[in-house]
Amino acid sequence: MIYNPEYECMETGARQRLQLARLKNLVETLYEKVPFYHKKMDEMGVKSSDIHSLADIKRLPFTTKDDLRDNYPRGFLVAPPDRIVEVHMSSGTTGKPVVDEYTQNDIDIWRECMARTMSAAGCTSRDIVQNCYGYGLFTGGPGAHYGAMTIGAEVLPMSSGNTARQLMVMQDFGSTMLTCTPSYALYMAEEAAEAGIDLHKLPISKGCFGAEAWSENMRKEIESRYGMKAYDIYGLTEITGPGVAFECEAQDGLHVNEDLFYPEIINPETGEPLPFGEKGELVFTTLTKDGTPLLRYRTRDITCIIPEPCSCGRTTMRVHRLFGRTDDMLIIRGVNVFPSQIENALIEIEGTEPQYVIVVNRGESHLDEVELQVEVKKELFSDETRGLEQLRKKIENVMKSKLQIGVKVKLVEPKTIERSIGKAKRVIDNRQI
Ligand code: DLL
């Protein structure tokens, strides 16, 4: 269902006029209130009065994660502190967290985004949403909670973890919709199988999964294990959390909530905008935020814009499902490799589980060496070793042809790769570079 046809199906020209008016407002506010932008715009010799069209956005400065960290905790705050009603943070692996501060208006916008997102996945007031995204500073739990409540659905605020309890509640309350990371959805399905629970017999029929890269094949795996439709949802703390972009029933790219977040795709090396259809780094400008609005925020996520109109009737711009992150992309002996490519290849190989870790080492000869640890299905592991050796060779050959690099495959016993209740860690890079 289209939650807000007025904005989601807006005529393109009208939307662009709205975006431009919002952009001009934003630039004026940021120049006045945020010393970082004031200084950057002065250095670049650009004033708010120079913005006449949306294309002029390229004259404005970018914002990076490092800029946010350098100005931690409140250097990007625009609204008076007494108007802030909620704060979220994302820590990543190193350094200070990045912070998003919300006024009531920002929370209302977020609720709207998540209501659009979850409606597009078929959520209605009749649904029982089992929300297993983490609650706390992470935006996943509260985001899906706000969305479900706005639609009028019933929310089970489970948070992540305690899988036995999740499965008990899923059966006893008849949850109809699941919200969690795709890796946790798979883990729960595994535990259900182990406990003899037939997920196909439960009313669960749809889910919104995101917060980490996942492949089309992983979607198929989740859909078949649960007997459900699995939708991709995207967002990031800095821009508001989940609900920045989402899939509709066509499951063919993610619709950006463009009236609220202005997307660009740039060449990550030069910063130059790329034409529609070309893969590059996704950049967002928040058009209506009050607390911590951002100009041209470099997400480090790699995707491309899909220019064709969508069959669902929404007119908002779509981006392709994410290919990965500039900082997740492994450069192995000069070849670019995304973990999602490995995952896609793996799921097609009979006998393997979609559980893997990529370990990268710099060998004695100073060449990069990749070890791919892959879990084998229970039935195969108890089989004779010849079968395992054949499987190992097969995976090595598939990887060589799909990735153009040699990968050493190590088959590991079922359940030995650590399961994640949040974002899965797929890469261990031991190279000191
Ligand atoms: O992960 C917000 C979120 C929560 C999105 C729940 C979807 C569902 P952060 O922790 O700040 O926020 O991480 C943001 O996660 O820049 C992407 O690299 C990655 N990511 C988020 N959604 C997807 C997705 C939340 N659908 C970072 N596909 C982003 C691929 C995703 N990567």
Side-chain angles (χ1 to χ4, degrees), residues 90 133 138-140 210-213 232-238 242 301 322 325 423:
S90 118
Y133 283 117
F138 178 52
T139 51
E212 62 186 2
D232 194 2
I233 71 171
Y234 168 81
L236 60 166
T237 316
E238 300 87 311
D301 291 319
L322 270 71
R325 291 177 56 78
K423 301 186 190 231

Side-chain angles (χ1 to χ4, degrees), residues 218-328:
M218 185 146 165
R219 184 213 305 270
K220 286 192 201 134
E221 192 79 25
I222 294 174
E223 291 190 331
S224 79
R225 290 197 189 190
Y226 283 85
M228 65 150 64
K229 277 270 240 179
Y231 294 87
D232 194 2
I233 71 171
Y234 168 81
L236 60 166
T237 316
E238 300 87 311
I239 300 300
T240 226
V244 173
F246 59 85
E247 267 183 348
C248 63
E249 69 271 17
Q251 292 186 313
D252 183 18
L254 290 90
H255 289 271
V256 177
N257 277 315
E258 260 191 286
D259 50 318
L260 306 167
F261 314 109
Y262 185 77
E264 296 172 81
I265 303 280
I266 61 159
N267 175 329
E269 261 124 53
T270 63
E272 281 304 309
L274 289 174
F276 285 178
E278 261 185 55
K279 256 191 220 173
E281 181 177 351
L282 185 57
V283 170
F284 279 112
T285 297
T286 64
L287 294 174
T288 54
K289 276 178 71 173
D290 290 336
T292 41
L294 297 178
L295 201 54
R296 307 192 81 200
Y297 182 68
R298 295 187 57 160
T299 64
R300 301 189 188 175
D301 291 319
I302 306 285
T303 183
C304 59
I305 286 174
I306 304 174
E308 296 82 24
C310 184
S311 56
C312 72
R314 288 175 185 81
T315 53
T316 40
M317 190 180 275
R318 279 175 300 158
V319 291
H320 192 283
R321 299 188 69 182
L322 270 71
F323 296 105
R325 291 177 56 78
T326 50
D327 42 9
D328 258 5

Side-chain angles (χ1 to χ4, degrees), residues 17-31 48-54 56 60 285 287 295:
R17 286 190 292 281
L18 179 71
Q19 289 172 321
L20 182 60
R22 288 178 167 174
L23 177 67
K24 284 180 174 176
N25 244 332
L26 171 76
V27 176
E28 244 174 67
T29 308
L30 290 178
Y31 185 74
S48 26
S49 56
D50 293 331
I51 305 303
H52 304 293
S53 70
L54 286 171
D56 288 332
L60 295 165
T285 297
L287 294 174
L295 201 54

